[in-house]
Amino acid sequence: MDHRRILSLSFPHLGAERLLRRGTIPSGVPLAVAADRGGAQVVVSVSPAAAAAGLRVGQGLRDARALCPDLVTKWEALEAEAAFLSALARWLGKFSPWIAEEPPTGLLADLTGCAHLFGGEAALLARIEEDCAAQGLTVQAGLADTVGAAWALARYAGRGAEAGRSGDAIDQEAPATRSRAAKRRTGGVEVAPKIAPRGRIAMPGGTRTAIAPLPVAGLRLDGELVAELGRLGLRRVEDLANQPRAALARRFGQHLVFRLDQALGLAPEPVSPGLPEMRFAARMSLPEPIGLEADVLAAVDRLLPVLCERLRRRGRGARRVRLECHRADHTTGAVEAGLARPSSEPERLRQLLAMKVAEIEAGFGIDMVRLVATETEPVEVHQHRGHVEAASDAEARLTGTPLDDLMGRLGARVGLERITRLAPSDSHIPEKEVQILAAAWSEPATGWSAPQMARPHLIWSPEAVAAPERPKPPAQFRWRNRDMAAVSAEGPERIAPEWWLDDPAWRTGVRDYWCVTCANGERLWMYFAHGAGLSAGWFCHGAFV
């Protein structure tokens, strides 16, 4: 029977060693990466030098600095660490095509049928350790028939289960006492045990024997459950495996039994690699440096058909395109152009890029031109249709495509986010009847409903009007320090506030809107508030042009 062979890699100092690789911090200096957790600053990653000084993950930052005065601290960068882990996954791809990430510091690989290409499993693990050591990375590897067993071997091989309470029960002591106890056990320095590659390899079919002496934390259980099992004397995987499953499920839940079955191979756990990121780019290396705008456009004309053909094959359209011009002095000039609609038509992309080429400085000459579709979206596949549908499609193309091209050109000048359009909103409140949307990321609005009365062209925040407090429109009133005389009034249109919202602007209660024509020719949009949380009165809300 063929056994699956799963490799698990753990990088215990990933966050700190990523920073050490830059070379700005000496390797022998203790380094800790800190982050905010629950309102407290804690250590989330330490360098090997900091670990040797007694620092640990989860320790408070103040305690760490008190324990190690020479400590250098940096803040956690989740995006950079995730990108670094993805780069390590690509590196691991040279050993197996089936790679999966285990954030934040782990990788998985299905090595079934691959180990013999590298001289066997032990030689493969030794080569992985050599490659990581050359890159300044600490790695722990485990190889077994299941994902759970490989994960446990990588992190807990060689570590025995600790007793629940002893003279060195450091998990229940103060941080300072904890560090002293660690030093007593290791002669002054707390270090992880060094395990040979063979000690982290479970032979095919020997998964249970390999993980039996490991602590139950190797089953990927939370800390509270591990502590509860330890109080009952269940400290090793073997202790759990010998217990009746039904009793374990009743006492600790199905999660414990499920994790144990996964580690022993009784429950399936596949390695699920992430989908490779789709990249669309085309480049042209030039025999001699160029510097004229026409030459750059000529290179773009050759690259665009190649790029668009790759987009069409994948059913994608470019939403944003970047033109990179690599100069002879190893510097780069780049411009970007955005489209209102995703497209894979070279003509539409060229018009936008031609408007940006003048912004690139040629410098000592451009020896490589690269075109990248940085943002893409799926585009619908058009099928053959009848004469009536074809006529409607042609009309839509004549009316829609020029508008999209216009938005693209304007967006190249001022930015697509500055081009907006109005759309109806699901509200009867005058201020909320219309919403402003980005034109490039929205469709033309439909479904406009006509109000009972005409709406003004200008609307502003309600302004108080000095007039008698009665619902009938006043013949004389004062507004904006001017005495006004009403000639006629049309209305009313009663609008009630949204009762499910406490809008401060509507605390005057129900409104009766009127279109009031004044003697000087102005037409004002006024309303009488009947009063609620605030007093009743007249207000001016807008004006008709």
Side-chain angles (χ1 to χ4, degrees), residues 461-478:
S461 298
E463 299 176 356
V465 174
E469 293 185 4
R470 55 175 180 264
K472 184 178 179 180
Q476 302 286 336
F477 60 91
R478 186 172 179 82

Side-chain angles (χ1 to χ4, degrees), residues 507-532:
R507 290 178 180 172
T508 53
V510 178
R511 300 175 180 178
D512 287 340
Y513 279 88
W514 297 80
C515 177
V516 179
T517 303
C518 301
N520 59 1
E522 293 186 66
R523 298 181 64 203
L524 303 178
W525 201 43
M526 299 171 57
Y527 68 85
F528 177 78
H530 289 266

Side-chain angles (χ1 to χ4, degrees), residues 6-168:
I6 306 299
L7 171 68
S8 176
L9 297 183
S10 173
F11 300 90
H13 308 296
L14 181 69
E17 290 177 336
R18 181 187 68 85
L19 298 174
L20 291 175
R21 281 168 45 87
R22 297 180 177 178
T24 57
I25 303 174
S27 58
V29 176
L31 172 65
V33 180
D36 289 329
R37 295 289 188 271
Q41 297 177 353
V42 298
V43 175
V44 296
S45 180
V46 295
S47 65
L55 274 63
R56 59 181 177 79
V57 175
Q59 189 176 25
L61 185 57
R62 290 187 177 182
D63 295 338
R65 286 174 173 168
L67 187 63
C68 183
D70 298 332
L71 181 66
V72 177
T73 59
K74 298 291 183 181
W75 287 106
E76 183 182 32
L78 293 177
E79 294 183 359
E81 292 180 7
F84 186 50
L85 186 64
S86 299
L88 291 176
R90 293 193 294 271
W91 157 77
L92 190 59
K94 71 178 184 178
F95 299 102
S96 170
W98 207 252
I99 308 298
E101 298 181 17
E102 277 193 319
T105 61
L107 293 174
L108 284 175
D110 192 337
L111 295 182
T112 306
C114 299
H116 70 282
L117 301 175
F118 302 91
E121 294 176 346
L124 187 147
L125 261 63
R127 181 171 176 180
I128 289 177
E129 292 179 354
E130 291 176 1
D131 289 354
C132 291
Q135 297 298 325
L137 297 175
T138 304
V139 65
Q140 297 174 348
L143 186 58
D145 294 342
T146 65
V147 173
W151 191 95
L153 288 171
R155 291 157 179 83
Y156 294 97
R159 294 175 53 180
E162 297 183 358
R165 184 78 181 182
S166 67
D168 279 343

Side-chain angles (χ1 to χ4, degrees), residues 202-438:
M203 299 304 295
T207 298
R208 178 164 182 154
T209 303
I211 67 173
L214 302 184
V216 294
L219 296 178
R220 295 171 288 177
L221 306 176
D222 58 78
E224 294 181 359
L225 182 55
V226 171
E228 186 177 358
L229 291 171
R231 286 193 294 268
L232 298 176
L234 303 174
R235 302 185 182 94
R236 299 183 303 169
V237 176
E238 184 179 15
D239 299 334
L240 289 177
N242 293 331
Q243 299 297 322
R245 299 302 175 88
L248 289 177
R250 286 195 303 268
R251 179 64 177 84
F252 303 104
Q254 290 289 342
H255 179 71
L256 172 62
V257 178
F258 181 67
R259 283 301 194 188
L260 180 60
D261 289 343
Q262 283 183 329
L264 298 177
L266 302 177
E269 186 177 7
V271 177
S272 302
L275 294 176
E277 182 180 357
M278 289 189 295
R279 299 178 183 272
F280 301 95
R283 71 175 184 178
M284 176 184 293
S285 298
L286 305 172
E288 294 291 338
I290 61 175
L292 299 179
E293 182 178 340
D295 295 338
V296 176
L297 287 176
V300 170
D301 290 337
R302 293 191 178 187
L303 293 176
L304 274 175
V306 178
L307 178 64
C308 292
E309 179 59 28
R310 294 175 181 174
L311 288 169
R312 280 192 290 267
R313 284 201 301 262
R314 301 297 295 271
R316 311 286 293 188
R319 193 63 183 268
R320 182 170 292 274
V321 182
R322 182 173 69 244
L323 173 62
E324 300 176 357
C325 293
H326 297 260
R327 307 184 186 97
D329 58 351
H330 302 288
T331 59
T332 303
V335 293
E336 288 192 359
L339 290 88
R341 294 288 183 274
S343 175
S344 58
E345 301 176 7
E347 296 79 9
R348 299 184 62 184
L349 298 177
R350 188 190 187 282
Q351 295 176 2
L352 300 178
L353 292 173
M355 300 172 61
K356 296 280 191 174
V357 169
E359 301 177 11
I360 299 178
E361 294 289 341
F364 292 98
I366 299 169
D367 55 10
M368 188 182 76
V369 179
R370 185 167 182 259
L371 205 56
V372 187
T374 56
E375 295 182 16
T376 63
E377 294 182 4
V379 293
E380 297 180 358
V381 180
H382 298 281
Q383 298 181 353
H384 295 288
R385 312 180 69 182
H387 295 287
V388 178
E389 292 83 358
S392 61
D393 290 347
E395 183 180 358
R397 286 194 299 270
L398 292 176
T399 57
T401 302
L403 180 60
D404 294 341
D405 292 341
L406 176 61
M407 286 193 292
R409 293 186 180 185
L410 292 176
R413 297 289 187 183
V414 301
L416 287 174
E417 66 280 356
R418 297 187 179 182
I419 306 175
T420 60
R421 60 160 51 103
L422 300 180
S425 179
D426 188 14
S427 178
H428 67 281
I429 303 299
E431 305 94 307
K432 303 178 181 179
E433 288 181 343
V434 176
Q435 56 181 336
I436 301 176
L437 303 177

